[in-house]
Amino acid sequence: MSAQALTEEVSAFLKEYMEAFGSFSGARIAALYYTPCVTLRADGSIHCLQSRLDIERFFQGVADAYYRDGYRSSRFTNLDVVPIGGRSTLATVTWELLREDGSVLRQWRQSYNLVRVEKGWQILASTFHVN
C-alpha cells in the first residue's frame, strides 16, 4: 500500500473516531478499540482496559467529562502516519475540542498504535503527548 493510500485510510478512521466521540456514546467509541488496549492520558495516568465493557465505561466517562467542560465537536490536524509492518501503523495527530461557537476548548497532540483486523483499523494503544 502506498504511503498516500495508508494516510487516507487512517484519516478516514480518525474521522470515524471523531464522529464516535461526537455521539457521546461510550459503546460507539469502544467499538473502535482493540480488546485489550492501553491508554496514556493527559494527566499522565495509564489505563489497561481488559474488556469491551471496561472500554465502554472508561470512554463514556471521558465523553461525559468533555461534554461537561463544553465540548460539542472536534477536529484533527497535522496527521503523521508511519507504517509498522503490514498490519499496524503509528498515527499522530493534533486534536482540538471545540465549543458550541467553534472556539477551541482544548488542544493536544496524541499518537495511536493502530492494528488492522478483519473489520478494519482498531486502536491498540493511545498516547497523549504529556509534557
Side-chain angles (χ1 to χ4, degrees):
M1 174 179 293
S2 74
Q4 181 178 347
L6 179 60
T7 298
E8 288 171 4
E9 269 193 20
V10 170
S11 180
F13 173 81
L14 290 172
K15 286 176 185 172
E16 182 181 356
Y17 185 65
M18 186 174 63
E19 291 169 5
F21 252 98
S23 75
F24 300 99
S25 166
R28 192 166 163 200
I29 297 164
L32 299 172
Y33 278 81
Y34 190 83
T35 305
C37 67
V38 176
T39 182
L40 168 63
R41 308 305 296 168
D43 64 2
S45 63
I46 299 172
H47 304 266
C48 181
L49 305 170
Q50 296 289 327
S51 70
R52 177 69 51 209
L53 186 57
D54 289 344
I55 299 168
E56 287 179 20
R57 287 179 181 157
F58 181 83
F59 283 103
Q60 188 63 61
V62 171
D64 291 346
Y66 285 175
Y67 188 86
R68 279 192 305 275
D69 290 347
Y71 161 65
R72 297 301 178 266
S73 64
S74 60
R75 63 182 170 224
F76 66 89
T77 59
N78 302 318
L79 172 61
D80 293 315
V81 177
V82 178
I84 307 171
R87 292 189 49 217
S88 63
T89 191
L90 181 67
T92 302
V93 297
T94 299
W95 285 108
E96 292 182 337
L97 297 187
L98 306 174
R99 296 180 183 92
E100 185 76 37
D101 65 4
S103 63
V104 176
L105 173 67
R106 190 174 302 146
Q107 180 185 57
W108 71 93
R109 198 87 173 126
Q110 189 166 359
S111 293
Y112 299 91
N113 185 292
L114 304 178
V115 60
R116 187 188 304 275
V117 295
E118 286 182 25
K119 55 186 167 184
W121 292 110
Q122 288 193 310
I123 300 167
L124 177 64
S126 75
T127 305
F128 275 74
H129 295 203
V130 179
N131 292 330

